[in-house]
């Protein structure tokens, strides 16, 4: 892989502007959901060799998947990701690599989130809801990138009540480290699903960001009926609300992408050591006591 800051990486990012993103994604979906053995078997076998996927922790054995997509969105055994003991704190919602984490910066134009060194974007634009964004004033965020070899289901960080789902149409740029360094407002430009929750700590948002070749975002409350948004932003306010327990499945990516967790001012602080590049595991503690003498954000 080229250095994310190299000229070669910048060239790769530039080419993405010219690619037929939706056509390529639609083709990937057709191939990944094909049930013919001559398609799915070599795809699964090749992927396992390339990424050394551990299927010992999967519920279904290697021979039990009826498509590459079912392999990619595989469920894990109940004991594969035991949750950390954080009391009423927050857990990491997925496997992946931490891209960024920290405070939501407040400016006259509203809250902003760091995307990469020298780049940030508007929280209101990410959520596609200015009023919802105001509720996170003084809060924090954590961005986790899911590589192709990661487990691709997303879980609830804490006991939460789903208040609103917002489906936002957009581009389908890659969400790799190189792309996040070179494309402004990447996560606020890509297609995404925004889930707004009420919790004991105040408001929480979990944003699932789509990318090139991601065939869709499925949520447990949609039962797979709406993988993609339409041409316009679509909002559903739930009445009655949907109650989800900490660690319960929230949704899944059909191919990989990025998850962003946003919390309000009254939520617990992030644990120390949440630095870019850190490998994360589903159920790992996101919140906890800070080291003695550490300054508050």
């Amino acid at each position: 892989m080229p250095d994310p800051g190299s000229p070669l990486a910048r060239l790769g990012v530039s080419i993405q502007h010219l690619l037929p993103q939706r056509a390529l994604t639609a083709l990937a979906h057709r191939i990944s959901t094909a049930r013919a053995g001559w398609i799915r078997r070599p795809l699964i076998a090749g992927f396992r060799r390339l990424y050394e996927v551990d299927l010992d922790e999967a519920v279904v054995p290697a021979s039990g998947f009826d498509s590459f997509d079912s392999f990619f969105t595989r469920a894990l055994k109940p004991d594969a990701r035991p949750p950390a003991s954080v009391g009423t704190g927050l857990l990491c919602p997925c496997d992946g690599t931490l891209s960024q984490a920290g405070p939501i910066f407040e400016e006259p134009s509203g809250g902003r989130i760091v995307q990469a060194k020298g780049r940030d974007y508007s929280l209101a634009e990410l959520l596609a809801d200015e009023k919802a964004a105001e509720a996170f004033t003084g809060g924090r965020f954590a961005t986790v990138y899911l590589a192709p070899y990661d487990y691709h289901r997303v879980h609830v960080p804490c006991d939460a009540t789903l208040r609103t789902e917002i489906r936002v149409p957009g581009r389908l740029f890659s969400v790799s480290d190189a792309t996040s360094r070179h494309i402004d407002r990447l996560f606020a430009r890509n297609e995404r699903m925004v889930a707004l929750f009420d919790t004991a700590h105040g408001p929480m948002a979990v944003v699932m960001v789509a990318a090139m070749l991601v065939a869709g975002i499925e949520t447990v409350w949609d039962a797979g009926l709406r993988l993609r948004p339409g041409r316009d932003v679509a909002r559903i306010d739930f009445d009655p609300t949907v109650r989800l327990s900490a660690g319960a499945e929230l949704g899944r990516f059909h191919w990989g992408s990025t998850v962003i967790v946003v919390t309000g001012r009254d939520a617990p602080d992030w644990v120390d050591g949440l630095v870019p590049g850190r490998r994360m595991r589903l159920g790992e503690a996101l919140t906890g006591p800070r080291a003695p003498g550490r300054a508050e954000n």
Side-chain angles (χ1 to χ4, degrees):
M1 295 291 290
D3 184 306
S6 69
L8 181 60
R10 287 196 294 271
L11 175 62
V13 171
S14 297
I15 290 173
Q16 289 186 51
H17 289 273
L18 305 176
L19 292 174
Q21 296 177 347
R22 294 202 171 275
L24 289 173
T25 299
L27 177 62
H29 174 63
R30 288 179 65 89
I31 293 173
S32 68
T33 55
R35 299 195 174 196
W38 64 272
I39 295 178
R40 62 177 167 83
R41 281 195 290 267
L43 276 177
I44 293 172
F47 192 91
R48 290 187 65 195
R49 285 194 298 270
L50 181 62
Y51 292 111
E52 299 181 353
V53 176
D54 179 15
L55 287 183
D56 288 340
E57 60 184 18
V59 173
V60 177
S63 60
F65 299 107
D66 61 9
S67 68
F68 180 79
D69 182 70
S70 66
F71 157 75
F72 199 85
T73 59
R74 61 194 175 275
L76 299 183
K77 295 175 181 176
D79 60 349
R81 298 289 186 276
S85 299
V86 294
T88 59
L90 275 70
L91 304 172
C92 184
C94 58
D95 286 358
T97 301
L98 191 75
S99 297
Q100 294 288 334
I104 298 169
F105 294 102
E106 292 303 313
E107 295 183 355
S109 57
R112 302 192 69 82
I113 291 179
V114 173
Q115 175 176 301
K117 186 176 181 180
R119 294 184 188 275
D120 58 28
Y121 58 93
S122 160
L123 176 60
E125 188 177 12
L126 174 72
L127 302 182
D129 187 321
E130 283 196 25
K131 185 174 181 180
E134 292 174 0
F136 295 100
T137 299
R140 294 175 176 80
F141 77 96
T143 304
V144 183
Y145 166 68
L146 288 75
Y149 49 79
D150 284 316
Y151 168 64
H152 276 83
R153 299 192 183 195
V154 179
H155 296 245
V156 186
C158 64
D159 291 345
T161 300
L162 177 65
R163 176 164 44 88
T164 300
E165 179 202 282
I166 305 172
R167 293 275 181 159
V168 188
R171 300 297 299 273
L172 291 171
F173 291 111
S174 161
V175 289
S176 67
D177 187 23
T179 311
S180 67
R181 291 192 190 192
H182 297 294
I183 293 185
D184 283 330
R185 304 169 24 257
L186 172 63
F187 304 123
R189 293 172 69 178
N190 268 18
E191 178 182 306
R192 56 203 179 274
M193 188 285 299
V194 178
L196 300 176
F197 295 95
D198 291 326
T199 78
H201 313 296
M204 177 180 72
V206 177
V207 183
M208 297 174 65
V209 184
M212 196 178 305
L213 305 184
V214 176
I217 296 169
E218 178 182 348
T219 60
V220 295
W221 51 85
D222 278 338
L225 297 178
R226 295 192 309 120
L227 297 181
R228 308 215 80 94
R231 293 180 179 274
D232 301 314
V233 174
R235 177 189 180 106
I236 299 176
D237 294 312
F238 289 88
D239 185 15
T241 55
V242 178
R243 180 72 176 168
L244 296 172
S245 299
E249 183 182 341
L250 180 160
R252 64 191 72 172
F253 287 110
H254 292 267
W255 294 44
S257 196
T258 289
V259 174
I260 304 170
V261 178
V262 185
T263 61
R265 182 187 301 275
D266 296 330
D269 292 341
W270 291 154
V271 294
D272 289 304
L274 288 187
V275 295
R278 173 174 166 173
R279 284 292 298 164
M280 305 293 294
R281 298 262 287 182
L282 168 66
E284 182 178 349
L286 277 182
T287 60
R290 292 190 174 275
R294 177 171 175 134
E296 290 297 319
N297 290 325

